[in-house]
Every structure is written in C-alpha cells, then in structure tokens.
Amino acid sequence: MVTYKERQQNKKYYVLLENGVPLGTFGNLKKITEYMDGKDFPSYWTLIRKSENPLKHGIYTIYKVKHY
C-alpha cells in the first residue's frame, strides 16, 4: 500500500505564466484551458499531445513542476 507521503512525492503541478508573470497553479491541463476560456489559447487536446517541458504558446508558458 502506498502511503500519503509517497503519493505526495510523485505529484506534479502545472504553473501557468504570462510573459513571466505567474497566473496560477493547476493540478491538470483541463483546468488551465477552462481558466483561459475566451483568450487566444490552445485547446486541451492540443496541449496533451505535446511532451516538451515547458509548453509554450505565444506569450503563455506552462511548466510541469514537482510538488514540495
């Protein structure tokens, strides 16, 4: 059985930046696309196909960071 501490060590979050200014921290990409609704931002289906870190689109950058 996996303990709570072990689950937290493996957890990752997404940090959304606009021109280097943090807009928020999200648990998954779906929440980011809902937050950015109405702006020039790619869809969820476009983001999940990309594997590079950070994900870049125009002035927006998404980093996948470890939970501390």
Side-chain angles (χ1 to χ4, degrees):
M1 178 162 221
V2 179
T3 65
Y4 175 78
K5 186 176 181 179
E6 291 170 341
R7 281 188 308 227
Q8 294 304 314
Q9 287 176 342
N10 297 329
K11 198 175 240 185
K12 302 236 179 180
Y13 289 106
Y14 294 95
V15 178
L16 176 64
L17 303 170
E18 180 181 13
N19 287 329
V21 178
L23 296 179
T25 303
F26 302 89
N28 57 43
L29 291 173
K30 186 75 170 171
K31 296 292 182 183
I32 293 175
T33 55
E34 290 172 1
Y35 179 76
M36 298 300 289
D37 189 31
K39 296 184 181 176
D40 180 29
F41 200 75
S43 70
Y44 168 74
W45 300 107
T46 303
L47 292 176
I48 62 170
R49 289 188 195 112
K50 296 184 177 185
S51 61
E52 67 267 4
N53 186 24
L55 298 171
K56 294 184 180 182
H57 178 74
I59 61 172
Y60 300 106
T61 308
I62 302 171
Y63 286 96
K64 188 173 184 180
V65 297
K66 195 169 182 169
H67 173 72
Y68 289 101

Short mmCIF file of all heavy atoms in Angstrom, two decimals:
data_model
loop_
_atom_site.label_atom_id
_atom_site.label_comp_id
_atom_site.label_asym_id
_atom_site.label_seq_id
_atom_site.Cartn_x
_atom_site.Cartn_y
_atom_site.Cartn_z
N MET A 1 0.84 -1.19 0.00
CA MET A 1 0.00 0.00 0.00
C MET A 1 0.88 1.25 0.00
O MET A 1 1.88 1.31 0.71
CB MET A 1 -0.90 -0.03 1.22
CG MET A 1 -1.78 1.15 1.36
SD MET A 1 -3.11 0.77 2.49
CE MET A 1 -4.41 1.53 1.63
N VAL A 2 0.51 2.21 -0.79
CA VAL A 2 1.27 3.45 -0.92
C VAL A 2 0.81 4.42 0.15
O VAL A 2 -0.38 4.66 0.33
CB VAL A 2 1.07 4.07 -2.32
CG1 VAL A 2 1.84 5.35 -2.44
CG2 VAL A 2 1.49 3.09 -3.39
N THR A 3 1.76 5.01 0.84
CA THR A 3 1.42 5.96 1.90
C THR A 3 1.15 7.35 1.31
O THR A 3 1.49 7.63 0.16
CB THR A 3 2.56 6.07 2.93
OG1 THR A 3 3.70 6.62 2.29
CG2 THR A 3 2.89 4.71 3.52
N TYR A 4 0.56 8.19 2.13
CA TYR A 4 0.26 9.56 1.72
C TYR A 4 1.54 10.30 1.33
O TYR A 4 1.59 11.01 0.34
CB TYR A 4 -0.45 10.30 2.85
CG TYR A 4 -0.70 11.75 2.57
CD1 TYR A 4 -1.73 12.15 1.73
CD2 TYR A 4 0.12 12.74 3.12
CE1 TYR A 4 -1.96 13.48 1.46
CE2 TYR A 4 -0.10 14.07 2.84
CZ TYR A 4 -1.14 14.43 2.02
OH TYR A 4 -1.36 15.75 1.73
N LYS A 5 2.59 10.10 2.10
CA LYS A 5 3.86 10.78 1.84
C LYS A 5 4.43 10.37 0.48
O LYS A 5 4.94 11.20 -0.27
CB LYS A 5 4.85 10.45 2.95
CG LYS A 5 6.14 11.21 2.86
CD LYS A 5 7.03 10.91 4.05
CE LYS A 5 8.32 11.70 3.97
NZ LYS A 5 9.18 11.46 5.12
N GLU A 6 4.34 9.09 0.14
CA GLU A 6 4.86 8.62 -1.15
C GLU A 6 4.04 9.17 -2.31
O GLU A 6 4.59 9.50 -3.36
CB GLU A 6 4.84 7.09 -1.18
CG GLU A 6 5.84 6.47 -0.25
CD GLU A 6 5.65 4.97 -0.11
OE1 GLU A 6 4.55 4.46 -0.41
OE2 GLU A 6 6.60 4.31 0.33
N ARG A 7 2.73 9.29 -2.15
CA ARG A 7 1.88 9.87 -3.21
C ARG A 7 2.24 11.33 -3.43
O ARG A 7 2.29 11.80 -4.57
CB ARG A 7 0.41 9.75 -2.84
CG ARG A 7 -0.16 8.41 -3.09
CD ARG A 7 -1.65 8.45 -2.87
NE ARG A 7 -1.92 9.03 -1.57
CZ ARG A 7 -2.75 8.54 -0.67
NH1 ARG A 7 -3.44 7.47 -0.95
NH2 ARG A 7 -2.93 9.12 0.49
N GLN A 8 2.48 12.08 -2.36
CA GLN A 8 2.81 13.49 -2.49
C GLN A 8 4.17 13.70 -3.13
O GLN A 8 4.38 14.70 -3.83
CB GLN A 8 2.75 14.18 -1.12
CG GLN A 8 1.38 14.23 -0.52
CD GLN A 8 0.36 14.90 -1.41
OE1 GLN A 8 0.61 15.96 -1.97
NE2 GLN A 8 -0.79 14.27 -1.56
N GLN A 9 5.09 12.79 -2.93
CA GLN A 9 6.42 12.92 -3.54
C GLN A 9 6.35 12.80 -5.05
O GLN A 9 7.15 13.41 -5.76
CB GLN A 9 7.35 11.84 -3.00
CG GLN A 9 7.79 12.06 -1.58
CD GLN A 9 8.63 10.92 -1.05
OE1 GLN A 9 8.62 9.83 -1.60
NE2 GLN A 9 9.35 11.17 0.04
N ASN A 10 5.42 12.03 -5.57
CA ASN A 10 5.32 11.82 -7.01
C ASN A 10 4.37 12.78 -7.70
O ASN A 10 4.22 12.74 -8.91
CB ASN A 10 4.87 10.38 -7.29
CG ASN A 10 5.88 9.38 -6.79
OD1 ASN A 10 7.06 9.67 -6.77
ND2 ASN A 10 5.41 8.24 -6.36
N LYS A 11 3.73 13.66 -6.97
CA LYS A 11 2.73 14.56 -7.52
C LYS A 11 3.39 15.70 -8.29
O LYS A 11 4.43 16.22 -7.89
CB LYS A 11 1.89 15.13 -6.39
CG LYS A 11 0.59 15.72 -6.83
CD LYS A 11 -0.20 16.15 -5.62
CE LYS A 11 -1.49 15.38 -5.64
NZ LYS A 11 -2.40 15.80 -4.60
N LYS A 12 2.78 16.08 -9.40
CA LYS A 12 3.27 17.20 -10.21
C LYS A 12 2.13 18.20 -10.44
O LYS A 12 0.96 17.82 -10.51
CB LYS A 12 3.78 16.70 -11.56
CG LYS A 12 4.88 15.69 -11.42
CD LYS A 12 6.07 16.11 -12.15
CE LYS A 12 7.14 15.06 -11.93
NZ LYS A 12 8.33 15.33 -12.58
N TYR A 13 2.47 19.46 -10.56
CA TYR A 13 1.50 20.52 -10.82
C TYR A 13 1.92 21.30 -12.07
O TYR A 13 3.08 21.27 -12.47
CB TYR A 13 1.43 21.50 -9.64
CG TYR A 13 0.78 20.91 -8.43
CD1 TYR A 13 1.52 20.54 -7.33
CD2 TYR A 13 -0.59 20.73 -8.38
CE1 TYR A 13 0.92 20.00 -6.21
CE2 TYR A 13 -1.21 20.19 -7.27
CZ TYR A 13 -0.45 19.83 -6.19
OH TYR A 13 -1.04 19.28 -5.10
N TYR A 14 0.97 22.01 -12.64
CA TYR A 14 1.22 22.86 -13.79
C TYR A 14 1.17 24.32 -13.35
O TYR A 14 0.23 24.73 -12.68
CB TYR A 14 0.17 22.63 -14.88
CG TYR A 14 0.24 21.25 -15.49
CD1 TYR A 14 -0.57 20.22 -15.03
CD2 TYR A 14 1.13 20.98 -16.52
CE1 TYR A 14 -0.49 18.97 -15.58
CE2 TYR A 14 1.20 19.71 -17.08
CZ TYR A 14 0.39 18.72 -16.61
OH TYR A 14 0.47 17.47 -17.15
N VAL A 15 2.18 25.08 -13.73
CA VAL A 15 2.24 26.50 -13.41
C VAL A 15 2.10 27.27 -14.72
O VAL A 15 2.87 27.07 -15.66
CB VAL A 15 3.57 26.87 -12.72
CG1 VAL A 15 3.63 28.36 -12.43
CG2 VAL A 15 3.74 26.07 -11.44
N LEU A 16 1.11 28.15 -14.78
CA LEU A 16 0.83 28.94 -15.98
C LEU A 16 1.44 30.33 -15.82
O LEU A 16 1.18 31.02 -14.83
CB LEU A 16 -0.68 29.05 -16.19
CG LEU A 16 -1.15 29.93 -17.34
CD1 LEU A 16 -0.69 29.35 -18.68
CD2 LEU A 16 -2.66 30.06 -17.31
N LEU A 17 2.26 30.72 -16.80
CA LEU A 17 2.90 32.04 -16.81
C LEU A 17 2.48 32.82 -18.04
O LEU A 17 2.34 32.25 -19.12
CB LEU A 17 4.42 31.90 -16.82
CG LEU A 17 5.08 31.10 -15.71
CD1 LEU A 17 6.54 30.88 -16.03
CD2 LEU A 17 4.94 31.82 -14.41
N GLU A 18 2.31 34.13 -17.86
CA GLU A 18 2.05 35.03 -18.98
C GLU A 18 3.15 36.08 -18.97
O GLU A 18 3.21 36.91 -18.06
CB GLU A 18 0.69 35.70 -18.84
CG GLU A 18 0.38 36.65 -19.97
CD GLU A 18 -0.99 37.32 -19.81
OE1 GLU A 18 -1.58 37.23 -18.74
OE2 GLU A 18 -1.43 37.92 -20.78
N ASN A 19 4.03 36.04 -19.95
CA ASN A 19 5.20 36.93 -20.01
C ASN A 19 6.02 36.87 -18.74
O ASN A 19 6.48 37.89 -18.23
CB ASN A 19 4.77 38.37 -20.29
CG ASN A 19 4.32 38.56 -21.71
OD1 ASN A 19 4.79 37.90 -22.62
ND2 ASN A 19 3.38 39.47 -21.91
N GLY A 20 6.17 35.69 -18.15
CA GLY A 20 6.97 35.53 -16.95
C GLY A 20 6.23 35.81 -15.65
O GLY A 20 6.80 35.65 -14.58
N VAL A 21 4.98 36.24 -15.73
CA VAL A 21 4.18 36.53 -14.53
C VAL A 21 3.27 35.33 -14.26
O VAL A 21 2.48 34.95 -15.12
CB VAL A 21 3.33 37.80 -14.74
CG1 VAL A 21 2.45 38.07 -13.53
CG2 VAL A 21 4.21 38.99 -15.06
N PRO A 22 3.36 34.73 -13.08
CA PRO A 22 2.51 33.56 -12.79
C PRO A 22 1.03 33.92 -12.71
O PRO A 22 0.66 34.88 -12.03
CB PRO A 22 3.01 33.07 -11.43
CG PRO A 22 4.12 33.94 -11.03
CD PRO A 22 4.28 35.03 -12.01
N LEU A 23 0.22 33.17 -13.42
CA LEU A 23 -1.23 33.36 -13.38
C LEU A 23 -1.91 32.38 -12.43
O LEU A 23 -3.00 32.65 -11.94
CB LEU A 23 -1.83 33.22 -14.77
CG LEU A 23 -1.40 34.23 -15.82
CD1 LEU A 23 -2.06 33.92 -17.15
CD2 LEU A 23 -1.76 35.63 -15.37
N GLY A 24 -1.28 31.23 -12.22
CA GLY A 24 -1.87 30.26 -11.32
C GLY A 24 -1.17 28.93 -11.36
O GLY A 24 -0.36 28.65 -12.23
N THR A 25 -1.54 28.09 -10.39
CA THR A 25 -1.05 26.73 -10.30
C THR A 25 -2.24 25.80 -10.42
O THR A 25 -3.24 25.99 -9.73
CB THR A 25 -0.34 26.50 -8.96
OG1 THR A 25 0.71 27.45 -8.83
CG2 THR A 25 0.25 25.12 -8.87
N PHE A 26 -2.13 24.80 -11.27
CA PHE A 26 -3.26 23.92 -11.56
C PHE A 26 -2.82 22.46 -11.44
O PHE A 26 -1.68 22.13 -11.67
CB PHE A 26 -3.78 24.18 -12.98
CG PHE A 26 -4.21 25.59 -13.20
CD1 PHE A 26 -3.31 26.55 -13.63
CD2 PHE A 26 -5.51 25.98 -12.97
CE1 PHE A 26 -3.70 27.85 -13.84
CE2 PHE A 26 -5.92 27.28 -13.17
CZ PHE A 26 -5.01 28.23 -13.60
N GLY A 27 -3.77 21.60 -11.11
CA GLY A 27 -3.50 20.19 -10.97
C GLY A 27 -3.50 19.43 -12.28
O GLY A 27 -2.91 18.37 -12.39
N ASN A 28 -4.18 19.98 -13.31
CA ASN A 28 -4.20 19.31 -14.61
C ASN A 28 -4.40 20.33 -15.73
O ASN A 28 -4.76 21.49 -15.49
CB ASN A 28 -5.27 18.22 -14.66
CG ASN A 28 -6.65 18.73 -14.37
OD1 ASN A 28 -7.05 19.78 -14.85
ND2 ASN A 28 -7.41 17.99 -13.59
N LEU A 29 -4.16 19.89 -16.95
CA LEU A 29 -4.24 20.79 -18.12
C LEU A 29 -5.68 21.22 -18.42
O LEU A 29 -5.91 22.30 -18.95
CB LEU A 29 -3.62 20.12 -19.34
CG LEU A 29 -2.12 19.94 -19.30
CD1 LEU A 29 -1.66 19.12 -20.49
CD2 LEU A 29 -1.42 21.29 -19.29
N LYS A 30 -6.64 20.38 -18.10
CA LYS A 30 -8.05 20.71 -18.35
C LYS A 30 -8.45 21.98 -17.59
O LYS A 30 -9.16 22.84 -18.12
CB LYS A 30 -8.92 19.52 -17.95
CG LYS A 30 -10.36 19.69 -18.30
CD LYS A 30 -10.56 19.49 -19.76
CE LYS A 30 -12.03 19.42 -20.09
NZ LYS A 30 -12.28 19.42 -21.49
N LYS A 31 -8.00 22.11 -16.36
CA LYS A 31 -8.32 23.29 -15.55
C LYS A 31 -7.69 24.55 -16.13
O LYS A 31 -8.27 25.63 -16.07
CB LYS A 31 -7.85 23.10 -14.11
CG LYS A 31 -8.55 21.99 -13.39
CD LYS A 31 -9.99 22.33 -13.15
CE LYS A 31 -10.65 21.21 -12.37
NZ LYS A 31 -12.06 21.43 -12.17
N ILE A 32 -6.51 24.41 -16.73
CA ILE A 32 -5.86 25.57 -17.34
C ILE A 32 -6.67 26.06 -18.53
O ILE A 32 -6.89 27.25 -18.69
CB ILE A 32 -4.41 25.22 -17.77
CG1 ILE A 32 -3.55 24.96 -16.55
CG2 ILE A 32 -3.81 26.35 -18.61
CD1 ILE A 32 -2.15 24.51 -16.88
N THR A 33 -7.12 25.14 -19.38
CA THR A 33 -7.89 25.55 -20.56
C THR A 33 -9.23 26.15 -20.17
O THR A 33 -9.71 27.07 -20.82
CB THR A 33 -8.10 24.37 -21.52
OG1 THR A 33 -8.70 23.28 -20.84
CG2 THR A 33 -6.77 23.92 -22.11
N GLU A 34 -9.85 25.67 -19.09
CA GLU A 34 -11.09 26.26 -18.59
C GLU A 34 -10.84 27.67 -18.06
O GLU A 34 -11.64 28.57 -18.26
CB GLU A 34 -11.71 25.39 -17.50
CG GLU A 34 -12.25 24.08 -18.02
CD GLU A 34 -12.70 23.15 -16.90
OE1 GLU A 34 -12.59 23.53 -15.71
OE2 GLU A 34 -13.15 22.05 -17.22
N TYR A 35 -9.72 27.86 -17.38
CA TYR A 35 -9.35 29.16 -16.84
C TYR A 35 -9.08 30.18 -17.95
O TYR A 35 -9.41 31.35 -17.83
CB TYR A 35 -8.12 29.02 -15.95
CG TYR A 35 -7.61 30.29 -15.34
CD1 TYR A 35 -8.26 30.87 -14.26
CD2 TYR A 35 -6.47 30.92 -15.83
CE1 TYR A 35 -7.79 32.03 -13.69
CE2 TYR A 35 -5.99 32.08 -15.28
CZ TYR A 35 -6.65 32.63 -14.20
OH TYR A 35 -6.18 33.80 -13.64
N MET A 36 -8.48 29.71 -19.05
CA MET A 36 -8.11 30.59 -20.14
C MET A 36 -9.20 30.71 -21.20
O MET A 36 -8.94 31.20 -22.30
CB MET A 36 -6.82 30.09 -20.80
CG MET A 36 -5.62 30.08 -19.87
SD MET A 36 -5.22 31.68 -19.21
CE MET A 36 -4.59 32.47 -20.66
N ASP A 37 -10.40 30.29 -20.91
CA ASP A 37 -11.52 30.32 -21.85
C ASP A 37 -11.74 31.75 -22.37
O ASP A 37 -11.79 32.70 -21.60
CB ASP A 37 -12.79 29.81 -21.17
CG ASP A 37 -13.91 29.62 -22.16
OD1 ASP A 37 -13.63 29.30 -23.32
OD2 ASP A 37 -15.08 29.79 -21.76
N GLY A 38 -11.84 31.89 -23.68
CA GLY A 38 -12.07 33.19 -24.29
C GLY A 38 -10.81 33.91 -24.72
O GLY A 38 -10.87 34.95 -25.37
N LYS A 39 -9.66 33.40 -24.36
CA LYS A 39 -8.39 34.02 -24.75
C LYS A 39 -7.76 33.19 -25.86
O LYS A 39 -8.15 32.06 -26.11
CB LYS A 39 -7.44 34.10 -23.55
CG LYS A 39 -7.97 35.00 -22.46
CD LYS A 39 -6.99 35.13 -21.35
CE LYS A 39 -7.58 36.03 -20.26
NZ LYS A 39 -6.71 36.13 -19.11
N ASP A 40 -6.76 33.75 -26.53
CA ASP A 40 -6.04 33.04 -27.59
C ASP A 40 -5.15 31.99 -26.94
O ASP A 40 -3.99 32.26 -26.60
CB ASP A 40 -5.21 34.02 -28.41
CG ASP A 40 -4.45 33.32 -29.52
OD1 ASP A 40 -4.92 32.28 -30.00
OD2 ASP A 40 -3.38 33.83 -29.89
N PHE A 41 -5.70 30.80 -26.73
CA PHE A 41 -5.00 29.74 -26.03
C PHE A 41 -5.37 28.42 -26.68
O PHE A 41 -6.52 28.22 -27.08
CB PHE A 41 -5.42 29.74 -24.55
CG PHE A 41 -4.47 29.03 -23.65
CD1 PHE A 41 -3.26 29.58 -23.30
CD2 PHE A 41 -4.79 27.78 -23.15
CE1 PHE A 41 -2.38 28.92 -22.48
CE2 PHE A 41 -3.92 27.11 -22.32
CZ PHE A 41 -2.71 27.68 -21.97
N PRO A 42 -4.43 27.48 -26.80
CA PRO A 42 -4.75 26.20 -27.45
C PRO A 42 -5.72 25.36 -26.62
O PRO A 42 -5.87 25.56 -25.42
CB PRO A 42 -3.39 25.51 -27.56
CG PRO A 42 -2.54 26.15 -26.53
CD PRO A 42 -3.04 27.55 -26.38
N SER A 43 -6.35 24.40 -27.28
CA SER A 43 -7.31 23.54 -26.59
C SER A 43 -6.59 22.49 -25.75
O SER A 43 -5.40 22.26 -25.89
CB SER A 43 -8.21 22.85 -27.61
OG SER A 43 -7.47 21.89 -28.34
N TYR A 44 -7.35 21.84 -24.92
CA TYR A 44 -6.83 20.76 -24.08
C TYR A 44 -6.24 19.65 -24.93
O TYR A 44 -5.18 19.12 -24.63
CB TYR A 44 -7.96 20.23 -23.20
CG TYR A 44 -7.63 18.95 -22.50
CD1 TYR A 44 -6.76 18.94 -21.41
CD2 TYR A 44 -8.17 17.74 -22.91
CE1 TYR A 44 -6.44 17.77 -20.76
CE2 TYR A 44 -7.87 16.56 -22.26
CZ TYR A 44 -7.00 16.58 -21.19
OH TYR A 44 -6.69 15.41 -20.55
N TRP A 45 -6.93 19.32 -26.01
CA TRP A 45 -6.49 18.22 -26.88
C TRP A 45 -5.17 18.54 -27.57
O TRP A 45 -4.38 17.64 -27.87
CB TRP A 45 -7.57 17.87 -27.88
CG TRP A 45 -8.81 17.46 -27.18
CD1 TRP A 45 -9.96 18.17 -27.05
CD2 TRP A 45 -9.01 16.27 -26.42
NE1 TRP A 45 -10.87 17.50 -26.28
CE2 TRP A 45 -10.30 16.32 -25.88
CE3 TRP A 45 -8.23 15.17 -26.14
CZ2 TRP A 45 -10.83 15.31 -25.09
CZ3 TRP A 45 -8.76 14.16 -25.35
CH2 TRP A 45 -10.04 14.24 -24.84
N THR A 46 -4.90 19.79 -27.82
CA THR A 46 -3.63 20.19 -28.40
C THR A 46 -2.51 20.09 -27.37
O THR A 46 -1.41 19.63 -27.66
CB THR A 46 -3.71 21.63 -28.93
OG1 THR A 46 -4.77 21.72 -29.88
CG2 THR A 46 -2.41 22.07 -29.57
N LEU A 47 -2.81 20.50 -26.14
CA LEU A 47 -1.79 20.50 -25.09
C LEU A 47 -1.36 19.11 -24.67
O LEU A 47 -0.18 18.88 -24.38
CB LEU A 47 -2.30 21.27 -23.86
CG LEU A 47 -2.48 22.77 -24.03
CD1 LEU A 47 -3.09 23.37 -22.77
CD2 LEU A 47 -1.17 23.44 -24.35
N ILE A 48 -2.28 18.15 -24.63
CA ILE A 48 -1.91 16.83 -24.15
C ILE A 48 -1.03 16.07 -25.14
O ILE A 48 -0.35 15.13 -24.76
CB ILE A 48 -3.13 15.96 -23.77
CG1 ILE A 48 -4.03 15.71 -24.96
CG2 ILE A 48 -3.87 16.57 -22.62
CD1 ILE A 48 -5.10 14.68 -24.70
N ARG A 49 -1.03 16.48 -26.39
CA ARG A 49 -0.18 15.83 -27.39
C ARG A 49 1.27 16.27 -27.30
O ARG A 49 2.16 15.59 -27.81
CB ARG A 49 -0.71 16.13 -28.79
CG ARG A 49 -1.99 15.43 -29.08
CD ARG A 49 -2.38 15.61 -30.53
NE ARG A 49 -3.76 15.23 -30.69
CZ ARG A 49 -4.74 16.07 -30.98
NH1 ARG A 49 -4.48 17.34 -31.17
NH2 ARG A 49 -5.97 15.64 -31.10
N LYS A 50 1.52 17.40 -26.67
CA LYS A 50 2.89 17.90 -26.56
C LYS A 50 3.59 17.26 -25.38
O LYS A 50 2.99 17.08 -24.32
CB LYS A 50 2.88 19.42 -26.40
CG LYS A 50 2.31 20.13 -27.61
CD LYS A 50 2.42 21.61 -27.45
CE LYS A 50 1.92 22.30 -28.70
NZ LYS A 50 2.10 23.73 -28.65
N SER A 51 4.85 16.95 -25.55
CA SER A 51 5.58 16.28 -24.47
C SER A 51 6.71 17.13 -23.90
O SER A 51 7.30 16.77 -22.89
CB SER A 51 6.15 14.95 -24.97
OG SER A 51 7.04 15.18 -26.03
N GLU A 52 7.03 18.25 -24.53
CA GLU A 52 8.15 19.05 -24.04
C GLU A 52 7.74 19.82 -22.77
O GLU A 52 6.58 20.07 -22.52
CB GLU A 52 8.66 20.01 -25.11
CG GLU A 52 7.70 21.11 -25.49
CD GLU A 52 6.82 20.77 -26.67
OE1 GLU A 52 6.86 19.67 -27.17
OE2 GLU A 52 6.07 21.67 -27.07
N ASN A 53 8.75 20.13 -21.98
CA ASN A 53 8.55 20.92 -20.77
C ASN A 53 9.55 22.05 -20.81
O ASN A 53 10.74 21.79 -20.85
CB ASN A 53 8.76 20.06 -19.53
CG ASN A 53 8.41 20.78 -18.25
OD1 ASN A 53 7.64 21.72 -18.25
ND2 ASN A 53 9.00 20.34 -17.16
N PRO A 54 9.15 23.29 -20.86
CA PRO A 54 7.80 23.83 -20.72
C PRO A 54 7.04 23.84 -22.05
O PRO A 54 7.63 23.85 -23.12
CB PRO A 54 8.06 25.25 -20.26
CG PRO A 54 9.36 25.64 -20.87
CD PRO A 54 10.17 24.35 -20.90
N LEU A 55 5.73 23.88 -21.92
CA LEU A 55 4.86 24.04 -23.09
C LEU A 55 4.76 25.53 -23.37
O LEU A 55 4.48 26.31 -22.47
CB LEU A 55 3.46 23.49 -22.79
CG LEU A 55 3.34 22.02 -22.48
CD1 LEU A 55 1.94 21.70 -22.01
CD2 LEU A 55 3.67 21.21 -23.70
N LYS A 56 4.98 25.93 -24.60
CA LYS A 56 4.94 27.36 -24.95
C LYS A 56 3.92 27.60 -26.04
O LYS A 56 3.82 26.83 -26.99
CB LYS A 56 6.31 27.84 -25.41
CG LYS A 56 7.34 27.80 -24.32
CD LYS A 56 8.65 28.38 -24.78
CE LYS A 56 9.65 28.32 -23.65
NZ LYS A 56 10.93 28.89 -24.00
N HIS A 57 3.17 28.70 -25.89
CA HIS A 57 2.23 29.14 -26.91
C HIS A 57 2.13 30.65 -26.81
O HIS A 57 1.54 31.18 -25.86
CB HIS A 57 0.85 28.51 -26.71
CG HIS A 57 -0.14 28.99 -27.72
ND1 HIS A 57 -0.12 28.56 -29.03
CD2 HIS A 57 -1.15 29.89 -27.63
CE1 HIS A 57 -1.10 29.17 -29.68
NE2 HIS A 57 -1.73 29.98 -28.85
N GLY A 58 2.71 31.33 -27.77
CA GLY A 58 2.68 32.79 -27.76
C GLY A 58 3.35 33.35 -26.51
O GLY A 58 4.50 33.06 -26.23
N ILE A 59 2.59 34.14 -25.75
CA ILE A 59 3.13 34.75 -24.53
C ILE A 59 2.93 33.86 -23.30
O ILE A 59 3.38 34.20 -22.22
CB ILE A 59 2.49 36.13 -24.27
CG1 ILE A 59 0.98 36.01 -24.09
CG2 ILE A 59 2.84 37.09 -25.38
CD1 ILE A 59 0.31 37.31 -23.66
N TYR A 60 2.29 32.71 -23.48
CA TYR A 60 2.00 31.81 -22.36
C TYR A 60 2.99 30.66 -22.30
O TYR A 60 3.41 30.13 -23.31
CB TYR A 60 0.58 31.24 -22.49
CG TYR A 60 -0.48 32.30 -22.49
CD1 TYR A 60 -1.14 32.65 -23.66
CD2 TYR A 60 -0.82 32.97 -21.33
CE1 TYR A 60 -2.11 33.63 -23.67
CE2 TYR A 60 -1.79 33.95 -21.33
CZ TYR A 60 -2.44 34.28 -22.50
OH TYR A 60 -3.39 35.25 -22.50
N THR A 61 3.36 30.29 -21.07
CA THR A 61 4.25 29.17 -20.83
C THR A 61 3.67 28.34 -19.70
O THR A 61 3.19 28.87 -18.71
CB THR A 61 5.65 29.66 -20.42
OG1 THR A 61 6.12 30.61 -21.38
CG2 THR A 61 6.64 28.53 -20.32
N ILE A 62 3.73 27.01 -19.86
CA ILE A 62 3.23 26.11 -18.83
C ILE A 62 4.37 25.18 -18.42
O ILE A 62 4.92 24.46 -19.23
CB ILE A 62 2.05 25.25 -19.36
CG1 ILE A 62 0.92 26.14 -19.84
CG2 ILE A 62 1.57 24.30 -18.27
CD1 ILE A 62 -0.17 25.38 -20.56
N TYR A 63 4.72 25.25 -17.14
CA TYR A 63 5.75 24.39 -16.58
C TYR A 63 5.11 23.27 -15.76
O TYR A 63 4.13 23.51 -15.05
CB TYR A 63 6.67 25.17 -15.64
CG TYR A 63 7.63 26.09 -16.34
CD1 TYR A 63 7.34 27.43 -16.51
CD2 TYR A 63 8.84 25.61 -16.81
CE1 TYR A 63 8.21 28.27 -17.15
CE2 TYR A 63 9.73 26.46 -17.45
CZ TYR A 63 9.42 27.78 -17.61
OH TYR A 63 10.29 28.62 -18.25
N LYS A 64 5.65 22.08 -15.88
CA LYS A 64 5.23 20.96 -15.04
C LYS A 64 6.26 20.83 -13.94
O LYS A 64 7.42 20.52 -14.20
CB LYS A 64 5.13 19.68 -15.86
CG LYS A 64 4.51 18.54 -15.11
CD LYS A 64 4.28 17.37 -16.04
CE LYS A 64 3.56 16.26 -15.32
NZ LYS A 64 3.33 15.12 -16.21
N VAL A 65 5.86 21.11 -12.71
CA VAL A 65 6.80 21.14 -11.58
C VAL A 65 6.41 20.13 -10.52
O VAL A 65 5.24 19.76 -10.40
CB VAL A 65 6.89 22.55 -10.96
CG1 VAL A 65 7.44 23.54 -11.95
CG2 VAL A 65 5.55 23.01 -10.45
N LYS A 66 7.39 19.72 -9.76
CA LYS A 66 7.18 18.75 -8.69
C LYS A 66 6.56 19.44 -7.48
O LYS A 66 6.85 20.60 -7.18
CB LYS A 66 8.51 18.12 -8.33
CG LYS A 66 8.41 16.90 -7.53
CD LYS A 66 9.74 16.20 -7.42
CE LYS A 66 9.54 14.94 -6.64
NZ LYS A 66 10.65 14.06 -6.68
N HIS A 67 5.72 18.71 -6.77
CA HIS A 67 5.08 19.21 -5.55
C HIS A 67 6.07 19.12 -4.40
O HIS A 67 6.69 18.10 -4.17
CB HIS A 67 3.85 18.35 -5.25
CG HIS A 67 3.21 18.68 -3.94
ND1 HIS A 67 2.51 19.82 -3.73
CD2 HIS A 67 3.19 17.99 -2.78
CE1 HIS A 67 2.07 19.83 -2.49
NE2 HIS A 67 2.47 18.73 -1.89
N TYR A 68 6.23 20.22 -3.65
CA TYR A 68 7.13 20.22 -2.49
C TYR A 68 6.36 20.49 -1.24
O TYR A 68 5.46 21.24 -1.18
CB TYR A 68 8.23 21.27 -2.65
CG TYR A 68 9.23 20.89 -3.72
CD1 TYR A 68 9.18 21.45 -4.99
CD2 TYR A 68 10.20 19.94 -3.45
CE1 TYR A 68 10.10 21.09 -5.95
CE2 TYR A 68 11.12 19.58 -4.41
CZ TYR A 68 11.06 20.18 -5.65
OH TYR A 68 11.98 19.82 -6.61
#
